[in-house]
Amino acid sequence: MRNIVKQYPVGDEVMTVLKGIDLTIDRGEYLSVLGPSGSGKSTLMNIIGCLDQPTSGEYILHGQRVGDLDEQELARIRSREVGFIFQNSQMLPLLDAQKNVELPLIYAGVRPKERRERAEEMLERVGLADRRHHRPNQLSGGQQQRVAIARALVTRPSLLLADEPTGALDQKMGRQIMELFQKISDEGHTIIMITHDLNIAKQARRVVHIIDGSLTEGGEMQP
């Protein structure tokens, strides 16, 4: 990201949410973006995940200028290149864990047999093979978040974006989820985690701070 600016009209004025962001993330990095509410961190995540476009500046993802892509190409990136994990698991309540994990593959046009196999593989990977036929109301908050992580991984994305992934969990469940993120990072996945919690941010290998739309490096950190 080079000199990324994001502005929104507010009445007769313009509000600048991101103020010239410069950020380079290498493949396989585990990075946390630390900042308080209203600092611009969610706006930054939306631009990284191609959910939003900057007002100005240049964003290059895997060698492609994102600003040059049309909506169909952006949709392909969102569905195949980026895995999203949010504070709440956002599981569909009428579907069991396996069907929830299969959803992105349905949208991607993957055949039923492969969908089932890949969903089972991901649920086993997050330690929920024995819960695959449980619906959300039969799972704990931590188990639901594990399903969300499996769903994000099932498309085999090159980038995982996690927005306050432990925000709705108690301390014990949050610690388990962070241990899972560490394992995923050790396997070579690129992870960008958005958080306001310093203790969570420090689990990443690198921390950047965002305050009032400006970004500063926090240095290398060890989990």
Side-chain angles (χ1 to χ4, degrees):
M1 309 188 91
R2 299 171 182 164
N3 198 27
I4 293 292
V5 173
K6 183 62 180 181
Q7 296 176 320
Y8 294 101
V10 180
D12 295 331
E13 299 181 355
V14 173
M15 179 174 65
T16 303
V17 180
L18 298 179
K19 303 171 182 177
I21 299 292
D22 291 312
L23 179 63
T24 299
I25 302 167
D26 294 328
R27 188 180 295 273
E29 262 202 275
Y30 185 5
L31 170 80
S32 63
V33 179
L34 176 65
S37 177
S39 60
K41 59 184 186 296
S42 292
T43 300
L44 179 63
M45 188 198 80
N46 289 340
I47 292 174
I48 293 172
C50 298
L51 295 169
D52 199 0
Q53 293 272 12
T55 303
S56 63
E58 185 178 54
Y59 175 30
I60 298 174
L61 179 64
H62 303 323
Q64 288 184 304
R65 287 170 49 93
V66 172
D68 294 339
L69 304 179
D70 61 28
E71 185 52 45
Q72 185 176 1
E73 291 169 320
L74 290 172
R76 184 194 63 79
I77 288 174
R78 290 192 295 266
S79 65
R80 298 183 184 180
E81 294 291 332
V82 184
F84 294 94
I85 303 164
F86 299 100
Q87 179 172 331
N88 297 306
S89 67
Q90 299 186 346
M91 291 179 66
L92 295 185
L94 298 181
L95 299 182
D96 64 20
Q98 180 162 324
K99 293 295 185 184
N100 268 279
V101 174
E102 285 184 33
L103 277 175
L105 300 179
I106 294 174
Y107 299 140
V110 177
R111 293 180 178 179
K113 182 175 184 294
E114 184 179 352
R115 289 202 308 259
R116 288 193 299 272
E117 290 173 350
R118 285 169 62 174
E120 289 173 3
E121 176 190 346
M122 287 302 108
L123 285 169
E124 182 174 358
R125 187 172 176 184
V126 300
L128 287 179
D130 60 341
R131 297 287 191 272
R132 66 180 183 273
H133 295 307
H134 287 56
R135 292 185 179 182
N137 63 0
Q138 298 171 310
L139 300 171
S140 70
Q143 288 171 335
Q144 289 183 37
Q145 195 64 313
R146 285 175 178 267
V147 172
I149 293 170
R151 183 178 56 201
L153 289 170
V154 78
T155 58
R156 298 167 183 163
S158 57
L159 171 64
L160 281 179
L161 279 178
D163 189 6
E164 303 282 6
T166 63
L169 304 177
D170 62 31
Q171 190 173 17
K172 179 181 177 181
M173 289 183 177
R175 188 164 54 249
Q176 292 173 353
I177 293 301
M178 294 314 300
E179 288 172 356
L180 180 56
F181 272 110
Q182 185 59 59
K183 180 181 177 181
I184 293 168
S185 172
D186 291 342
E187 293 170 355
H189 286 274
T190 307
I191 302 174
I192 303 173
M193 182 169 55
I194 309 296
T195 183
H196 69 278
D197 188 327
L198 177 60
N199 290 326
I200 295 298
K202 289 192 298 186
Q203 305 301 309
R205 293 193 176 92
R206 177 183 166 207
V207 178
V208 296
H209 298 263
I210 186 167
I211 298 177
D212 293 332
S214 296
L215 201 68
T216 58
E217 287 283 342
E220 299 289 330
M221 305 188 75
Q222 292 299 323

